[in-house]
Every structure is written in structure tokens, then in C-alpha cells.
Amino acid sequence: MQTMCLNTDANTVGSVAISPDTRHVAAGLHDKSIRIWNTATGLLVEQLKGPNGHTDSVYSVAFSPNGKGLVSGSLDKTVKMWELNVSTGDNSTLGPEDGKCFGTFEDHAVSYGYHD
């Protein structure tokens, strides 16, 4: 069995999840971001953060059944749905970039639509 250590720059990890095809691993971090790595290369392929991201520590992450989406929960009392940009193949040329948040659930209110 191969052992791989993925660098989170000393940020505390709140949650981890592996994609259904096992090609990616996601971590929800206390720095308010979600990072996604390619499991074959260990390269960071996407970061979910920014103006439409969480405003507090991320404590839960889960991939959608098809691996093309992610849901995250945060101490900011929101649940967010994300469209991922990661490749479904071995292409790790994508650099760290913000994913698209297309749904935010706040205190039983839901906001849908792509945010730019």
C-alpha cells in the first residue's frame, strides 16, 4: 500500500472525503477553504474559497455520487454545493482555482444559481 502525505500548509483539517472513483481527495480546512488533490500525483488541483465560499472553518465535505460535485458544511452555519473543475482523468494541469458555488443553504433558506 502506498502512503501519501498531502500538504495543507499547516492548516487544521476539519474533514476529508475521497471521490467515488478514488482519483481525488478533498479536505475541509479551518482556514475557510476546501482543497482537492489528485491521489495519483499528490498535486493540488482545485481550491474552493473566495467571495462565494465559506466564512468560517469547514467541518464537513462529501463528493456527489458522480464525483463532479461536492457539498460542504461550515461553522458559518451554511451548507454549500460546489461544481468541481477537476479532471475525471489523470490530467493534473489544472491549477488551484475557485470552484463554482451553485447553492447555499442558510438557516433553512436556499439560494440557487451560479455565482460569479
Side-chain angles (χ1 to χ4, degrees):
M1 178 177 190
Q2 178 183 1
T3 301
M4 181 178 293
C5 184
L6 303 172
N7 185 7
T8 64
D9 300 323
N11 285 309
T12 304
V13 175
S15 179
V16 295
I18 192 159
S19 63
D21 63 7
T22 70
R23 293 182 181 179
H24 296 97
V25 65
L29 302 170
H30 289 204
D31 72 353
K32 308 172 194 171
S33 72
I34 300 157
R35 296 184 191 177
I36 301 172
W37 294 269
N38 178 300
T39 56
T41 65
L43 294 176
L44 181 66
V45 294
E46 189 163 2
Q47 292 187 86
L48 307 176
K49 62 179 187 175
N52 297 313
H54 288 291
T55 60
D56 209 331
S57 300
V58 179
Y59 280 100
S60 60
V61 291
F63 281 93
S64 63
N66 68 7
K68 295 181 181 179
L70 190 91
V71 65
S72 59
S74 169
L75 196 58
D76 66 8
K77 299 180 183 175
T78 66
V79 172
K80 294 187 178 283
M81 298 183 335
W82 301 88
E83 176 186 19
L84 300 180
N85 295 319
V86 295
S87 170
T88 56
D90 289 330
N91 180 358
S92 296
T93 59
L94 289 173
E97 56 188 61
D98 290 345
K100 292 198 181 268
C101 176
F102 68 91
T104 299
F105 299 82
E106 297 180 27
D107 299 326
H108 305 291
V110 180
S111 170
Y112 285 104
Y114 286 99
H115 304 279
D116 292 327

